[in-house]
Amino acid sequence: MVLLWYLFNPHIIGSCLEKTTSVFTNFLLAAMLLSASQGPSLLSRLSSLFFLALATYQTLYMFLLFPALHLYLLQNAPEKCRSSRKFHIARLVIHLGIFGGILAALVIGSSVIMGSWSFIRGVYGFAVFAPDLTPNIGLFWYFFTEMFEQFRTFFTWIFFLNICIYSVPVSIKLRHDPPFAIFTLLSLITIFKPYPSYGDVGFYLSLFPIWKRLYPHMRQSLVVVVMLLVAAVLFPILWKLWIEVGSANANFFYAITLVFVASQVFFVTDIMLAHEKREWHLMNGMKSDVDANGKAAELLLD
């Protein structure tokens, strides 16, 4: 089901038609998830951390997935080991060392190839400071275009911290379901990073069938779908009217950008609330004796 959602996702199709490099990041993230799901073996742990390091090397903000991935790898450990505090600390140091070591080796190797360290500011500094204000489907470009220059540094760091601040709290809150924590963080990174793409959006939306059990608890599905469709239709129209024809302005394009971002925010909040509802029902039972069709209600565990 995930494969079909990915192959026929309009965002992925559009990304492929434009020949973007987001397909490589998506591949690395998929490989990371596949490796982490293979069990407690050493190879599984090493390969998942390796793919996360490669994804971070290409796209800086992927390092925010480390806490959730660490918890996912701990979940695969034997039950008797997970109750030990020393085990948790030792595994955290080991995982952080492996991830940091691989990433450092990649960066050092790049400096050797380039002959200098100047690429760090051009690659990773670019992702943080967002100097290119070319219109895109993210929030940064319009905000910084309208901002006074003396406030730019302050709000740049505020926006950067806004992306980073979710990583640890979300991982802790969803520590009993680390794959869902990774999914949530992927969606938040896509929403708030400076230069998102259709490929980023399509990838995390394609993972939704994994949690199809949450769909009955979701309440904003129709709103989200309609907003995504409206944004998909109006994006190219307003771009053409503004950039090519000149009969519109930046406000029109940014308005539909806000619709697109709002639809993703609604989706994330809705699916997180659905997750919490389902967990509450599993712990406390269903209150209703009948379903929407008047039949005896049943709680099915997928």
Side-chain angles (χ1 to χ4, degrees):
M1 181 63 73
V2 174
L3 178 62
L4 293 177
W5 273 60
Y6 185 83
L7 289 177
F8 296 102
N9 191 309
H11 299 98
I12 296 297
I13 295 173
S15 180
C16 291
L17 290 175
E18 291 298 320
K19 301 178 181 179
T20 66
T21 58
S22 62
V23 64
F24 300 111
T25 304
N26 294 346
F27 167 75
L28 294 173
L29 292 173
M32 177 199 74
L33 291 171
L34 178 62
S35 300
S37 65
Q38 296 304 305
S41 66
L42 178 62
L43 179 62
S44 171
R45 291 160 50 202
L46 289 175
S47 57
S48 60
L49 291 167
F50 173 73
F51 286 122
L52 179 60
L54 282 176
T56 304
Y57 173 71
Q58 184 184 19
T59 306
L60 175 66
Y61 293 103
M62 293 301 110
F63 79 92
L64 298 172
L65 299 177
F66 175 80
L69 177 61
H70 167 68
L71 292 175
Y72 194 7
L73 297 177
L74 281 182
Q75 192 181 59
N76 294 330
E79 184 67 31
K80 61 179 181 180
C81 296
R82 280 185 280 170
S83 59
S84 171
R85 187 173 182 179
K86 291 183 179 180
F87 173 80
H88 281 268
I89 296 175
R91 277 293 174 90
L92 175 61
V93 173
I94 292 172
H95 292 166
L96 192 59
I98 294 173
F99 171 73
I102 295 173
L103 185 59
L106 291 169
V107 172
I108 293 173
S110 297
S111 70
V112 172
I113 295 174
M114 296 293 295
S116 70
W117 295 92
S118 60
F119 73 95
I120 291 182
R121 181 169 182 82
V123 177
Y124 304 117
F126 188 90
V128 174
F129 299 108
D132 185 0
L133 300 180
T134 302
N136 56 68
I137 61 174
L139 297 171
F140 272 58
W141 66 272
Y142 188 86
F143 188 84
F144 285 101
T145 299
E146 300 294 330
M147 183 185 298
F148 292 110
E149 192 62 30
Q150 59 265 34
F151 299 117
R152 182 181 177 89
T153 301
F154 173 76
F155 280 101
T156 297
W157 285 108
I158 291 297
F159 272 57
F160 177 72
L161 292 175
N162 178 59
I163 303 173
C164 299
I165 200 172
Y166 301 104
S167 179
V168 174
V170 169
S171 300
I172 294 175
K173 175 62 180 176
L174 301 174
R175 60 188 178 277
H176 300 300
D177 192 358
F180 186 73
I182 294 175
F183 170 76
T184 303
L185 289 173
L186 275 174
S187 60
L188 291 173
I189 292 170
T190 301
I191 292 170
F192 294 114
K193 73 178 185 177
Y195 304 109
S197 68
Y198 270 169
D200 300 326
V201 178
F203 179 75
Y204 82 77
L205 288 179
S206 299
L207 297 177
F208 174 65
I210 298 176
W211 293 278
K212 63 181 180 180
R213 60 184 180 273
L214 300 180
Y215 182 76
H217 301 283
M218 297 177 69
R219 294 294 177 265
Q220 301 180 25
S221 303
L222 179 61
V223 176
V224 171
V225 171
V226 170
M227 292 177 72
L228 286 173
L229 290 175
V230 169
V233 172
L234 291 183
F235 260 135
I237 295 175
L238 294 178
W239 175 270
K240 182 177 181 61
L241 290 176
W242 175 31
I243 301 298
E244 298 183 16
V245 179
S247 60
N249 56 41
N251 296 323
F252 289 83
F253 187 78
Y254 193 63
I256 200 62
T257 300
L258 291 178
V259 171
F260 184 62
V261 172
S263 66
Q264 297 178 74
V265 173
F266 288 161
F267 173 75
V268 175
T269 54
D270 195 24
I271 196 171
M272 288 192 70
L273 182 60
H275 183 272
E276 293 306 304
K277 283 182 179 178
R278 184 175 184 275
E279 291 297 313
W280 191 90
H281 286 315
L282 291 176
M283 295 295 296
N284 299 281
M286 299 286 289
K287 296 299 182 182
S288 177
D289 296 328
V290 296
D291 59 17
N293 299 319
K295 299 179 180 179
E298 295 180 356
L299 181 60
L300 302 177
L301 301 179
D302 294 336

